Amino acid sequence: MADTSYPIAHDIVTARTQRLPGLTAAWCALPFAVPVLCAPTTGPGVAALQTAVKAASAEGLPLQRMVVALTAPGEGRLPAAVKAAATMLQSQVSAVVTVGFDPHIRNHGMAQANRLGRRTAEAGRALVTAVLASAHRSWGDPLPPAAVPAGLSDRSVPVRPAQPAPEGVLTP
């Protein structure tokens, strides 16, 4: 999940101009990865998002698996530019989900998640549903088993003998 589009676009363009592998491309190439791009529902926010999507498309990154989360930084209706961008993005990415403003998050963060607004909880469910639907379209339903990481061999982790604590230092 990328919480802003600026670093994504920068990484893609930098990797291309320097002819090096980019972090975004590596992230998108992970097995069973569903990229999620977040952008604020502002004119500059969606402009950066559109730039990142165009750069990703030019690099052949998997837009068909990508989910976009548009997050409202304040109360009120979505600006016309945001609505137009969301409509344009619908045909390019797997899903576009709008997450409305929740004053509780602004004031308390996620410390009291049980007090989130109904619309915020619904938007969270819609985002999870969109990610899961993208994964199912890409890899089938049910999803294949997750890869199991290779275990560490005893020789791969150097073991140091315990050092006595310096004088005056308490150890647990």
Side-chain angles (χ1 to χ4, degrees):
M1 180 173 281
D3 66 354
T4 181
S5 303
Y6 294 104
I8 298 296
H10 183 265
D11 174 61
I12 293 169
V13 171
T14 301
R16 175 173 245 196
T17 57
Q18 294 180 355
R19 295 190 172 119
L20 295 171
L23 292 174
T24 303
W27 172 49
C28 290
L30 290 171
F32 310 117
V34 176
V36 178
L37 296 181
C38 301
T41 56
T42 62
V46 296
L49 174 65
Q50 289 172 315
T51 301
V53 168
K54 286 177 188 174
S57 176
E59 286 302 302
L61 298 182
L63 293 181
Q64 73 280 2
R65 288 195 332 245
M66 221 172 258
V67 174
V68 170
L70 297 172
T71 58
E75 294 183 28
R77 294 182 180 187
L78 294 179
V82 173
K83 289 180 183 178
T87 301
M88 182 272 305
L89 288 169
Q90 288 285 354
S91 64
Q92 295 181 315
V93 298
S94 178
V96 177
V97 177
T98 302
V99 181
F101 177 74
D102 189 331
H104 183 77
I105 293 174
R106 173 75 63 164
N107 296 327
H108 304 286
M110 294 297 289
Q112 300 169 334
N114 60 331
R115 296 188 65 193
L116 293 176
R118 178 185 53 80
R119 289 184 182 157
T120 303
E122 288 171 359
R125 280 190 290 278
L127 187 56
V128 169
T129 300
V131 169
L132 189 57
S134 175
H136 284 157
R137 276 191 303 279
S138 298
W139 299 290
D141 186 5
L143 292 171
V148 178
L152 294 175
S153 70
D154 291 337
R155 287 182 254 151
S156 64
V157 179
V159 178
R160 295 184 185 177
Q163 298 283 330
E167 221 174 287
V169 175
L170 298 175
T171 57

